[in-house]
């Protein structure tokens, strides 16, 4: 189980909360495929003869997908997107309710046949939620377990029932009733399941629904099982014991010892008398809960057992795990047979008629023949062996060369996934990221547009990285990771607003070439363009003739947004147009992961935003940037330096003071300044921040004069590159390229902590 710094439940945190982050997840291909390992499977059988069965898959890419099953194909009919981290388990209860759990610490409920909209988010766990269990004949009762050692029993009818919010309830009261961004957050009543299985109702004004806590685990829980009526619950984890609970009260009844490592899978028969367990000790054990003992051990696998699926009669068990293999074992005769092997560890199994769906740490899902109705037929083909009692007996047999031959070589049906990203590198220009996926394919992403600009195929990642190196210095304004199998780009304030470029360097048409462009601001505008358009339409605002959106007052005023000290970006007055280098695809749009002042983190495609989301859903700094054109105070946007003639030069000394200019200023602007100062008869007056370099105070006192962000000069002056003398700028005795920025010179040429020193000289013949 991975650990990431996800935006999960932080209610128990004692550290001061950081400003909310905005993340966007890039999509390279067809959204109908998973791009990371599949952790869980759930089957919905049609209640109509010849009706369509559905398979639900949950992935490490943070999404679930619904597949319409036909005899020879599976078609993705919906993507369920709201979790912000790995989806670890999923169950179907009540006929049409899908419940999922995630490393984002939440459970989410969905209508199985919906368009993929989350109906409710349930928050109670303090750490990753790893497993779920459901009572097949009591559709209200489910259980969840997680890494925090917590096991909760939920009454879904109570947890999902909306009740009106009382006037004195706080926003935090809604933590168990999130309906998604922009929607009302109802409070539910507390319902306690008594030992008689009757549900008593009592309400409170200060809390939402609270599930029953099965307290007793001291370590992480990885597996749960429940009988059909919901009267018995089993759990297992890193404590190596199987605990048995009464889910109606949360009380412990039995503790079963025998495994020597983490328990990863549990199954109960319909009555709750028999229990199967699979462990990282490579053993499968059959327990009689009435006798409170292990009645059989099965040494079938050579590595951890991660998944179990039994026939309806509980006579045979299919098992899979880290040894890449799926076995079928007759629980009575102890006879086992190798059904199939794959290239990846098996994470979950789901029996479907005479086939079995196999999920692995790969993004593809396979269906194999399984003779589910009459598994005994498989043993008649030969190749079976007798399961041992001890784990080393199976391992020894494997070492001695008696490895069984799989019954099937190829699956009967495959649902392909897309390769996940396993390596990435942010390039120096801070706009491109080089990636390598599971197939070895190397690609170049432009993260300000969310697209692949070059697919290099299977080449050396390190060599391509060296080939693409540029001697440029731009502040690190974003971070990335590939924990979801695709690139996740993280923006944190105020660091994300530290990077600027000139519009000429971005090839922006219709914008003055010396305008400074803030990369994060323009990226946010591109990401939220659809949201702004929907907001205009919903609230009756009208776009101006040039297509720009109106002021954000219409949208932000309704939420009572409170802002701290900010700066207005003077170069972008009423500039709401989305420029080409920041236009995101609508055919494979990125997904946003973020949170606002209420509710917790959420995830949505940018094209699914409906315009109602406000500061309850988005970080305030994102809205203030996009709607009001305001940026938080930023540091390190200027570079201080001295400008002196080269040693031994007879060229006049232009200034003895320290100068200040934007970090992105090009050396050719410094050349223009030197030429201007040498050619003009009198010194320039100090100009405003949009002007040129200005000399220091008399006597060499530094007043940090500045060169403007757009590098413009006084009107009426001729282009300096056509005038004599011709000037070179040097640093550390190295002639600088006119296209270098001050930041690049400081990083790669100067390489010292103290203020940058530049020298100028007249080129011979100039």
């Amino acid at each position: 189980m991975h650990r990431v710094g996800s935006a999960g439940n932080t209610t128990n945190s004692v550290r001061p909360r950081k400003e909310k982050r905005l993340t966007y997840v890039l999509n390279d291909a067809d959204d109908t495929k998973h791009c990371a390992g599949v952790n869980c499977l759930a089957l919905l059988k049609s209640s109509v003869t010849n009706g369509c069965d559905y398979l639900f898959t949950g992935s490490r890419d943070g999404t679930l997908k619904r597949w319409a099953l036909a005899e020879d194909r599976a078609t993705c009919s919906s993507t369920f997107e709201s979790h912000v981290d790995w989806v670890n388990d999923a169950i179907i209860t009540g006929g049409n309710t899908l419940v999922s759990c995630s490393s984002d610490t939440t459970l989410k409920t969905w209508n199985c046949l919906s368009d993929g909209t989350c109906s409710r988010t349930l928050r109670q766990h303090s750490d990753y939620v790893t497993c779920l269990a459901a009572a097949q004949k009591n559709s209200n009762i489910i259980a969840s377990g997680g890494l925090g050692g917590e096991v909760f029993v939920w009454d879904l009818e109570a947890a999902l029932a909306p009740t009106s919010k009382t006037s004195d309830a706080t926003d935090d009261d809604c933590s168990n009733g999130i309906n998604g961004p922009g929607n009302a957050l109802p409070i539910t009543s507390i319902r306690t399941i008594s030992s008689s299985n009757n549900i008593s109702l009592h309400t409170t004004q200060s809390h939402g629904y609270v599930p029953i806590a099965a307290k007793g685990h001291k370590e992480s829980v990885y597996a749960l099982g429940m009988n059909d009526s919901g009267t018995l619950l089993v759990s297992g984890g890193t404590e190596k014991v199987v605990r048995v609970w009464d889910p109606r009260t949360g009380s412990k009844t039995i503790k079963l010892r025998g495994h020597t490592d983490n328990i990863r899978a549990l199954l109960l028969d319909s009555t709750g008398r028999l229990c199967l367990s699979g462990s990282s000790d490579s053993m499968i054990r059959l327990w009689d809960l009435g006798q409170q003992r292990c009645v059989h051990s099965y040494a079938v696998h050579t590595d951890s057992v991660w998944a179990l699926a039994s026939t309806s009669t509980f006579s045979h068990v299919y098992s899979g795990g880290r040894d890449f293999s799926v076995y079928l074992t007759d629980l009575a005769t102890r006879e086992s047979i190798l059904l199939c092997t794959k290239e990846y560890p098996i994470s979950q199994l789901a029996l479907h008629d005479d086939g079995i769906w196999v999920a692995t740490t790969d993004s593809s899902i396979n269906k194999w023949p399984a003779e589910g109705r009459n598994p005994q037929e498989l043993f008649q083909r030969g190749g079976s062996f007798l399961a041992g009692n001890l784990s080393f007996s199976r391992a020894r047999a494997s070492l001695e060369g008696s490895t069984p031959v799989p019954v099937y070589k190829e699956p009967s049906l495959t649902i392909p996934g897309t390769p996940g990203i396993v390596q990435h590198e942010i390039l120096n220009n801070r706009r491109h990221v080089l990636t390598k996926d599971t197939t070895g394919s190397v690609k170049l992403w432009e993260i300000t547009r969310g697209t692949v600009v070059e697919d290099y195929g299977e080449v050396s990642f390190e060599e391509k990285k060296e080939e693409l190196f540029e001697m440029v210095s731009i502040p690190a304004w974003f971070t990335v990771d590939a924990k979801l199998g695709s690139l996740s780009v993280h923006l944190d304030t105020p660091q994300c607003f530290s990077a600027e470029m000139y519009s000429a360097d971005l090839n922006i048409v219709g914008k003055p070439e010396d305008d400074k462009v803030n990369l994060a601001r323009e990226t946010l505008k591109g990401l939220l363009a659809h949201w702004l358009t929907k907001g205009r339409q919903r609230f009756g605002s009208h776009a101006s003739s040039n297509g720009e959106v109106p002021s954000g007052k219409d949208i932000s005023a309704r939420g009572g947004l409170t802002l701290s000290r900010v700066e207005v970006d003077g170069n972008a007055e009423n500039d709401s147009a989305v420029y080409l280098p920041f236009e995101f695809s609508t055919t494979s749009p990125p997904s946003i992961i973020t949170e606002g002042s209420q509710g917790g983190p959420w995830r949505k495609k940018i094209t699914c935003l409906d315009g109602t989301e406000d500061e309850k859903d988005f970080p305030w700094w994102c809205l203030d940037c996009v709607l009001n054109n305001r940026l938080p105070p930023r540091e390190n946007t200027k570079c201080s330096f001295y400008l002196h003639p080269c040693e031994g030069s007879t060229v006049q000394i232009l200034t003895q003071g320290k100068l200040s200019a934007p970090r992105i200023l090009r050396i050719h602007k410094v050349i223009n300044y030197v030429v201007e100062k040498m050619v003009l008869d009198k010194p320039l007056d100090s100009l405003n921040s949009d002007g040129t370099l200005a000399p220091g105070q008399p006597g060499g006192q530094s007043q940090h004069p500045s060169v403007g962000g757009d590098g413009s000069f006084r009107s009426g002056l001729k282009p300096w590159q056509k005038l004599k003398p011709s000037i070179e700028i040097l640093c550390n005795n190295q002639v600088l390229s006119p296209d270098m920025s001050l930041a690049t010179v400081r990083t790669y040429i100067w390489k010292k902590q103290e203020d940058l020193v530049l020298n100028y000289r007249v080129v011979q013949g100039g």
Side-chain angles (χ1 to χ4, degrees):
M1 188 62 60
H2 80 314
R3 285 191 171 272
V4 300
S6 63
N9 187 330
T10 58
T11 55
N12 296 327
S13 175
V14 296
R15 292 177 296 177
R17 176 132 193 158
K18 291 177 64 177
E19 206 57 75
K20 303 292 194 303
R21 162 183 282 188
L22 185 134
T23 295
Y24 58 101
V25 183
L26 303 183
N27 295 307
D28 178 23
D30 196 344
D31 185 43
T32 62
K33 297 177 181 178
H34 285 301
C35 65
V38 178
N39 283 341
C40 54
L41 305 167
L43 275 164
L44 179 62
K45 298 278 290 181
S46 174
S47 58
V48 182
T49 305
N50 297 325
C52 182
D53 293 345
Y54 291 102
L55 174 69
F56 294 84
T57 56
S59 170
R60 297 178 180 185
D61 63 17
T63 71
L64 298 104
K65 294 186 186 295
R66 181 181 68 220
W67 307 88
L69 301 179
E71 197 162 323
D72 58 347
R73 67 185 183 281
T75 307
C76 181
S77 57
S78 190
T79 295
F80 295 73
E81 186 170 15
S82 182
H83 283 297
V84 302
D85 208 332
W86 288 15
V87 177
N88 294 322
D89 204 0
I91 53 174
I92 294 172
T93 184
N96 64 350
T97 299
L98 176 69
V99 184
S100 58
C101 68
S102 166
S103 296
D104 64 13
T105 76
T106 70
L107 281 72
K108 290 182 183 285
T109 63
W110 325 71
N111 184 318
C112 285
L113 303 180
S114 71
D115 60 356
T117 302
C118 175
S119 57
R120 190 64 59 89
T121 297
L122 304 173
R123 304 178 188 278
Q124 195 70 34
H125 285 267
S126 63
D127 208 333
Y128 299 172
V129 192
T130 55
C131 50
L132 298 170
Q136 296 302 316
K137 293 180 180 177
N138 188 343
S139 59
N140 290 337
I141 308 304
I142 67 165
S144 59
L147 296 193
E150 299 155 324
V151 175
F152 294 110
V153 181
W154 302 79
D155 176 1
L156 284 185
E157 182 184 4
L160 304 183
T163 60
S164 59
K165 185 174 180 179
T166 56
S167 58
D168 59 343
T170 64
D171 290 334
D172 288 339
D173 297 338
C174 307
S175 63
N176 286 331
I178 297 168
N179 200 29
N183 295 335
L185 306 179
I187 287 188
T188 59
S189 303
I190 294 182
R191 298 189 181 207
T192 305
I193 308 176
S194 66
S195 58
S196 63
N197 210 24
N198 295 322
I199 297 177
S200 58
L201 172 66
H202 52 99
T203 59
T204 177
Q205 291 184 341
S206 60
H207 297 285
Y209 168 80
V210 178
I212 292 175
K215 297 179 180 179
H217 277 286
K218 300 178 180 66
E219 298 178 19
S220 299
V221 177
Y222 276 88
L224 291 173
M226 191 179 285
N227 66 337
D228 285 359
S229 60
T231 58
L232 202 65
L233 174 69
V234 291
S235 62
T238 54
E239 292 174 87
K240 310 169 191 174
V241 297
V242 177
R243 293 183 184 271
V244 185
W245 311 83
D246 183 344
R248 297 165 294 187
T249 60
S251 59
K252 293 179 285 185
T253 59
I254 306 172
K255 185 190 294 185
L256 303 171
R257 302 181 184 277
H259 282 295
T260 59
D261 206 338
N262 187 11
I263 296 170
R264 294 295 303 265
L266 288 168
L267 286 178
L268 278 176
D269 73 345
S270 59
T271 66
R273 186 179 70 87
L274 296 175
C275 174
L276 275 169
S277 59
S279 168
S280 296
D281 62 13
S282 79
M283 295 296 294
I284 300 170
R285 290 182 179 271
L286 178 64
W287 307 84
D288 187 312
L289 300 187
Q291 299 179 33
Q292 300 186 22
R293 68 183 185 90
C294 176
V295 292
H296 283 300
S297 296
Y298 306 91
V300 175
H301 291 268
T302 57
D303 207 332
S304 301
V305 181
W306 287 358
L308 298 173
S310 72
T311 56
S312 58
T313 58
F314 218 71
S315 60
H316 294 74
V317 64
Y318 299 84
S319 57
R322 212 163 85 176
D323 57 4
F324 310 159
S325 303
V326 177
Y327 288 92
L328 171 64
T329 303
D330 186 319
L331 296 178
T333 66
R334 309 177 56 79
E335 192 177 12
S336 291
I337 193 167
L338 176 60
L339 195 68
C340 61
T341 58
K342 286 297 293 178
E343 299 83 18
Y344 301 92
I346 282 78
S347 51
Q348 203 165 62
L349 304 169
L351 272 173
H352 183 211
D353 297 333
D354 280 330
I356 187 166
W357 289 100
V358 178
T360 70
T361 56
D362 183 39
S363 57
S364 300
I365 308 114
N366 293 295
K367 184 181 182 182
W368 297 81
E371 302 294 347
R373 295 186 180 92
N374 187 10
Q376 207 59 40
E377 288 185 8
L378 290 172
F379 294 104
Q380 296 170 7
R381 303 190 182 195
S384 64
F385 61 93
L386 198 63
N389 287 314
L390 300 172
S391 57
F392 69 81
S393 62
R394 179 70 187 89
R396 185 176 61 194
S398 178
L399 289 172
E400 291 172 353
S402 58
T403 304
V405 177
V407 177
Y408 299 108
K409 303 294 186 185
E410 296 295 333
S412 56
L413 182 60
T414 296
I415 302 175
T418 56
I421 293 172
V422 293
Q423 192 174 0
H424 57 83
E425 185 80 22
I426 300 173
L427 301 189
N428 280 14
N429 62 18
R430 302 294 175 183
R431 289 176 62 214
H432 291 133
V433 176
L434 193 68
T435 65
K436 180 180 179 180
D437 64 29
T438 52
T439 65
S441 181
V442 176
K443 296 178 181 178
L444 184 67
W445 292 77
E446 186 171 7
I447 63 101
T448 57
R449 288 194 296 150
T451 58
V452 173
V453 291
E454 289 287 346
D455 186 344
Y456 302 109
E458 295 183 40
V459 299
S460 167
F461 183 84
E462 295 301 323
E463 289 178 8
K464 182 57 65 174
K465 185 174 70 173
E466 291 180 15
E467 179 186 322
L468 294 172
F469 173 79
E470 295 178 71
M471 191 183 287
V472 295
S473 179
I474 295 174
W477 61 281
F478 65 91
T479 57
V480 297
D481 69 53
K483 294 182 179 73
L484 301 179
S486 51
L487 277 184
S488 294
V489 184
H490 308 294
L491 301 181
D492 292 285
T493 188
Q495 304 95 304
C496 67
F497 295 110
S498 61
E500 296 175 325
M501 293 179 67
Y502 288 121
S503 60
D505 297 325
L506 292 165
N507 298 316
I508 296 178
V509 179
K511 192 173 177 65
E513 65 176 18
D514 283 334
D515 271 6
K516 285 189 293 182
V517 175
N518 189 287
L519 298 183
R521 178 181 183 270
E522 300 305 317
T523 300
L524 286 171
K525 280 167 51 183
L527 285 169
L528 298 182
H530 178 86
W531 171 76
L532 281 168
T533 302
K534 284 289 186 181
R536 270 203 318 266
Q537 296 169 351
R538 182 177 291 270
F539 295 100
S541 303
H542 300 285
S544 58
S545 57
N546 64 356
E548 295 178 352
V549 297
S551 164
K553 294 177 182 177
D554 296 351
I555 301 175
S556 63
R558 70 181 190 275
L561 189 60
T562 302
L563 304 173
S564 61
R565 184 170 64 92
V566 292
E567 300 174 355
V568 174
D569 188 349
N571 280 333
E573 294 179 10
N574 301 318
D575 184 3
S576 299
V578 177
Y579 300 108
L580 184 61
F582 304 92
E583 283 187 356
F584 286 86
S585 167
T586 54
T587 54
S588 53
S591 300
I592 282 181
I593 294 177
T594 192
E595 61 182 314
S597 60
Q598 297 179 19
W602 53 276
R603 170 174 169 167
K604 260 189 183 181
K605 288 249 185 313
I606 59 171
T607 50
C608 293
L609 299 172
D610 61 13
T612 64
E613 298 86 1
D614 55 21
E615 75 281 355
K616 294 192 300 294
D617 311 302
F618 284 116
W620 70 267
W621 59 268
C622 295
L623 298 182
D624 207 32
C625 170
V626 173
L627 296 176
N628 304 321
N629 190 31
R630 290 189 287 198
L631 307 181
R634 291 161 289 160
E635 298 178 357
N636 302 324
T637 59
K638 298 282 187 179
C639 178
S640 299
F641 64 100
Y642 291 95
L643 185 61
H644 297 153
C646 287
E647 187 175 351
S649 171
T650 58
V651 179
Q652 67 189 91
I653 299 176
L654 303 178
T655 177
Q656 294 180 340
K658 189 188 297 184
L659 302 173
S660 178
R663 289 170 48 89
I664 63 173
L665 190 81
R666 303 293 187 189
I667 292 300
H668 73 80
K669 296 292 184 182
V670 182
I671 294 173
N672 287 352
Y673 168 76
V674 174
V675 173
E676 176 185 272
K677 294 289 291 179
M678 294 177 69
V679 171
L680 292 180
D681 293 333
K682 58 182 179 179
L684 290 171
D685 297 328
S686 294
L687 300 180
N688 59 27
S689 60
D690 294 315
T692 68
L693 285 157
Q697 299 269 358
Q701 298 297 317
S702 172
Q703 63 169 16
H704 286 267
S706 63
V707 65
D710 61 1
S712 59
F713 289 83
R714 296 198 302 182
S715 59
L717 297 179
K718 297 178 182 179
W720 294 113
Q721 59 267 31
K722 297 180 181 178
L723 298 178
K724 303 299 182 185
S726 182
I727 299 296
E728 283 182 343
I729 303 295
L730 296 85
C731 178
N732 279 346
N733 296 317
Q734 181 176 332
V735 177
L736 303 179
S737 165
D739 290 330
M740 274 190 179
S741 68
L742 291 177
T744 302
V745 174
R746 183 174 184 86
T747 301
Y748 295 101
I749 310 298
W750 183 244
K751 299 180 181 179
K752 300 177 185 177
Q753 291 297 319
E754 57 264 28
D755 287 321
L756 177 65
V757 176
L758 301 180
N759 302 106
Y760 56 90
R761 70 185 180 194
V762 177
V763 180
Q764 291 297 325

